[in-house]
Amino acid sequence: MIRCLAVDDEPLALRKLTAYIEKIPFLQLVKACESATEAREVLEEEMIDALFIDINMPDLNGMDFVKSLAAPPLIVFTTAYSEYAIDGFKVEAVDYLLKPFGLDDMKRAANKVKARFDLIAAAQQPAATTPAAETDDDQTIFLKTEHRVVRVDIASIRYIEGMSEYLRIHFDSPKRPLTVLLSMKKMEERLPAATFMRIHRSYIINLKKIQEVNKNRVIMDADTYLPIGDLYREAFNDYLSSRFIGK
């Protein structure tokens, strides 16, 4: 399935677009968004393969929004203005739907998205025979995110947050978190047990990054308070006890 976002500030146009997406069997609508700002929030939380987005929107138009993405998904622009077509292809959009468009036009664009998606998947096929996270040595791992394979310095990981089938990896640096399709169990197995510990069904922390432990919470920084789950409390308390100095 190709996971999609639909983005349009006009409610009627958005409903029409989402209805078309739902009629195409290989597309899965993750969310319908009324603004580029809302779409950005979803992209930070979810793995999205394709973006069907209007260009003319208030605050942040679709073209500028796509240009601002470091690793954009496959793009199909929808707009009532034909003069945007050339600009759309400059940002490597897969297709361009001129409003008002019908279901047949949508199917044509969707088939182009699928063809591009399958081509990317085929190009990644040699790497796909290996697990989603591969150790290079004791200091780094490789993670698949969107259509890239990213090298990650293990020491730079502050904590890992589980979100259903995905993980969100938070770093020391101000760069945005990395979202990958991977289970907590698989990540836990790949990370060094001496440095990383699971403290909750949804959190793995870098033990070296702990600033404070307050009752049932681990404080990683001034803005990050992570809960300690009942199933993990004993092991975490044992870790603290083994390093505790004082009465």
Side-chain angles (χ1 to χ4, degrees):
M1 296 290 284
I2 300 173
R3 293 168 56 84
C4 304
L5 279 188
V7 188
D8 201 307
D9 65 304
E10 299 176 5
L12 290 177
L14 185 59
R15 283 199 292 272
K16 179 180 178 181
L17 179 58
T18 57
Y20 284 167
I21 289 174
E22 289 168 350
K23 289 179 182 294
I24 297 173
F26 54 81
L27 298 182
Q28 177 187 351
L29 180 65
V30 175
K31 191 171 182 180
C33 302
E34 295 181 353
S35 69
T37 301
E38 184 181 359
R40 189 186 299 280
E41 292 173 355
V42 177
L43 285 169
E44 290 177 351
E45 297 287 343
E46 302 280 355
M47 292 288 289
I48 301 299
D49 301 310
L51 184 63
F52 292 83
I53 183 168
D54 185 28
I55 292 179
N56 268 19
M57 293 187 292
D59 299 328
L60 179 61
N61 71 50
M63 186 70 66
D64 289 339
F65 171 64
V66 170
K67 289 178 180 177
S68 75
L69 298 176
L74 301 175
I75 303 295
V76 175
F77 284 117
T78 67
T79 183
Y81 301 93
S82 59
E83 61 266 27
Y84 286 115
I86 294 176
D87 288 337
F89 289 108
K90 283 181 180 178
V91 296
E92 298 184 351
V94 176
D95 207 354
Y96 179 99
L97 290 169
L98 186 62
K99 296 178 181 179
F101 56 88
L103 180 57
D104 287 342
D105 298 315
M106 181 67 186
K107 286 180 178 178
R108 183 201 74 234
N111 284 330
K112 288 185 178 181
V113 168
K114 187 176 187 302
R116 183 82 63 87
F117 180 84
D118 290 344
L119 186 64
I120 293 169
Q124 294 179 337
Q125 191 60 40
T129 59
T130 61
E134 289 290 346
T135 55
D136 173 57
D137 49 41
D138 290 339
Q139 282 73 47
T140 61
I141 53 176
F142 287 92
L143 295 169
K144 294 177 185 174
T145 178
E146 297 172 336
H147 307 296
R148 303 171 297 147
V149 177
V150 180
R151 184 187 184 105
V152 173
D153 181 359
I154 291 175
S156 71
I157 299 174
R158 196 152 50 99
Y159 68 97
I160 297 161
E161 180 182 3
M163 303 182 301
S164 186
E165 299 174 347
Y166 296 88
L167 300 181
R168 194 175 190 191
I169 302 170
H170 299 261
F171 300 95
D172 278 335
S173 65
K175 71 178 180 179
R176 82 177 203 179
L178 193 66
T179 302
V180 298
L181 178 61
L182 192 63
S183 69
M184 289 287 279
K185 184 176 184 298
K186 179 64 70 174
M187 178 60 84
E188 194 175 9
E189 290 172 351
R190 291 290 182 179
L191 295 172
T195 309
F196 289 85
M197 178 177 288
R198 191 167 181 176
I199 61 165
H200 187 275
R201 63 185 181 86
S202 299
Y203 295 104
I204 297 171
I205 64 170
N206 186 333
L207 297 167
K208 294 183 179 181
K209 311 295 183 181
I210 296 174
Q211 290 191 3
E212 186 179 332
V213 179
N214 189 334
K215 296 182 180 179
N216 293 324
R217 298 181 302 177
V218 175
I219 301 173
M220 306 300 288
D221 58 47
D223 300 315
T224 308
Y225 293 66
L226 305 180
I228 304 170
D230 292 339
L231 293 176
Y232 307 93
R233 184 172 292 111
E234 183 177 356
F236 183 67
N237 286 340
D238 288 344
Y239 166 79
L240 290 180
S241 297
S242 68
R243 287 154 179 80
F244 184 75
I245 299 175
K247 295 182 180 180

